[in-house]
């Protein structure tokens, strides 16, 4: 059985006002970093998260860099991050000259393990970045408690988790700051783009200043310090606003697809399991993830290549930071992250998957696993 068309892992769906708004930018000449779509996208995004402020920016990586800069993080400082994440989380810390201190993830949510944070806190620790991995929220209550006790800031890297909820609270509104990505494969997209949410007025002002080259707000073209050009364009925001107007649909499609996978696959727990949804969580299902059991003798990469031959695109779970050259720390402490990352992969989670495609993907996945026991 060979699929005629390759089934992609992810693809943007631009089925609302995106086209209309982009054409409006072109017709009016408002294509750069000022314009009504930037303002409206930011206002609507703040409403969506329930925060006072939302600041658009160039991508989800600089969305992490700006709050770290605004908190004054620099040389000699330490920031706690999960080792199991996308590299942008660690890189943003490195850009400040600070050191990312790695913590293992936990079974269940796959997020940072709150029980392993305190042992990593030193006098140099300034903050914690949690990552809502693949759209599943981190267990935030214990993290916020530790942060309060040690006077640390908390940034939620919600790049993959638009609309996910922790105990009824939308992610990005729980810590001091939330950050989002609108890269092409994320839950909603602007091509490249990012957003920062916060209810801290002072911090928001500081980030706005740094985002625009630190130009003095009271004296045009006067600069008291080194800033950055991390702005989003009106063109990107036009796409973003169109996407955001439809975010319930985008979120609903992902929950529908996840439910369809669970229905078809949960009976095969001797072959593999899916990333679970914890009782306190509303998973945003940026990606549905499969974890192969030890009973499957083929390697993760072999199963993925069999699926590739069937025309099904998959993707390995992230390699942990402690395995990669820039952040290698020689420790073998990260057993949970290692176990998950080496045996897991993502299966197609694009919003337009049909029942037929879902049947086909599940059928092939089960077939290859059963053939390799
Ligand atoms: C995608 C992503 C980012 C960075 O976003 P970009 O827009 O690609 O810069 C940061 N953190 C996580 C967890 C991500 O998945």
């Amino acid at each position: 059985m060979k699929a005629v068309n390759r089934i992609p892992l992810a693809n943007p769906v631009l089925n609302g006002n995106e086209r209309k708004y982009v054409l409006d930018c072109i017709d009016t000449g408002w294509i750069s970093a000022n314009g009504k779509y930037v303002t409206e996208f930011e206002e609507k995004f703040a409403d969506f998260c329930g925060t006072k402020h939302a600041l658009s920016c160039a991508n989800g990586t600089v969305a992490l860099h700006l709050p770290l800069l605004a908190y004054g993080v620099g040389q000699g400082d330490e920031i706690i991050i999960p080792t199991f994440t996308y590299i942008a989380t660690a890189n943003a810390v490195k850009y400040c000259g600070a050191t990312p201190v790695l913590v293992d993830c936990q079974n269940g949510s796959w997020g940072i393990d709150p029980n392993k944070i305190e042992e990593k806190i030193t006098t140099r620790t300034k903050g914690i970045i949690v990552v809502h991995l693949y759209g599943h929220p981190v267990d935030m209550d214990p993290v916020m408690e530790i942060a309060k006790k040690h006077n640390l800031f908390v940034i939620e890297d919600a790049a993959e988790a638009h609309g996910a909820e922790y105990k009824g609270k939308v992610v990005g509104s729980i810590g001091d700051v939330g950050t989002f990505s609108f890269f092409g494969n994320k839950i909603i997209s602007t091509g490249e783009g990012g957003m920062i949410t916060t209810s801290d007025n002072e911090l928001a002002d500081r980030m706005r200043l740094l985002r625009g080259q630190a130009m003095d707000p009271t004296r045009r073209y006067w600069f008291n310090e080194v800033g950055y050009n991390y702005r989003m364009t009106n063109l990107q925001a036009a796409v973003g606003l169109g996407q955001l107007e439809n975010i319930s649909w985008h979120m609903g499609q992902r929950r529908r697809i996840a439910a369809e996978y669970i229905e078809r696959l949960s009976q095969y727990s001797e072959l593999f399991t899916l990333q679970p949804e914890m009782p306190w969580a509303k998973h945003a299902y940026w990606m549905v993830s499969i974890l192969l059991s030890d009973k499957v003798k083929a390697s993760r990469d072999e199963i993925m290549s069999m699926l590739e031959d069937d025309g099904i695109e998959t993707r390995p779970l992230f390699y942990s930071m402690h395995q990669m050259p820039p952040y290698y720390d020689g420790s073998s402490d990260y057993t949970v992250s290692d176990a998950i990352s080496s045996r897991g992969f993502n299966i197609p989670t694009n919003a337009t998957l049909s029942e037929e495609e879902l049947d086909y993907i599940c059928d092939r996945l089960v077939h290859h696993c059963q053939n390799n026991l």
Side-chain angles (χ1 to χ4, degrees), residues 58-62 64 85-89 131-133 157-160 179-183 185-186 192-194 286 318:
N59 57 60
T61 308
V62 305
L64 287 161
T85 181
Y86 177 58
I87 196 137
T89 319
V131 181
H132 304 302
L133 208 66
D157 182 347
E160 306 174 352
T179 68
F180 294 84
S181 166
F182 305 118
F183 180 65
N185 68 9
K186 298 285 160 88
E192 294 275 4
W286 173 49
F318 297 127

Side-chain angles (χ1 to χ4, degrees), residues 33 69 71 82 87 100 139 207 227 252 255 302 315 347 354 364:
L69 290 166
Y71 278 118
I87 196 137
D139 189 4
M207 292 192 290
R255 302 250 341 148
E302 284 166 342
R315 200 175 86 164
I347 53 179
S354 67
R364 300 314 293 161

Side-chain angles (χ1 to χ4, degrees), residues 2 6 303-314:
K2 189 96 187 168
R6 188 159 178 267
I303 297 288
M304 284 174 54
S305 101
M306 292 170 204
L307 290 167
E308 184 63 46
D309 290 343
D310 291 332
I312 300 166
E313 187 187 3
T314 60

Side-chain angles (χ1 to χ4, degrees), residues 114 117-119 121-122 125 128 141-154:
I117 291 178
E118 275 195 297
E119 65 199 62
I121 293 176
T122 72
T125 310
I128 304 171
D141 281 348
V143 174
M144 296 310 291
E145 219 168 279
I146 292 164
K148 199 170 170 200
K149 183 173 154 198
H150 296 272
N151 195 26
L152 308 174
F153 63 76
V154 175

Side-chain angles (χ1 to χ4, degrees), residues 41 44-45 48 188 239-248:
F41 186 33
K44 293 242 162 78
F45 203 87
F48 172 70
I188 59 169
V239 175
L241 182 62
Q243 293 266 284
L244 186 58
E245 288 170 347
N246 274 341
I247 195 154
S248 303

Side-chain angles (χ1 to χ4, degrees), residues 318-332:
F318 297 127
Y319 297 97
S320 293
M321 295 306 106
H322 67 270
Q323 299 174 315
M324 284 185 282
Y327 302 107
Y328 179 77
D329 73 358
S331 159
S332 53

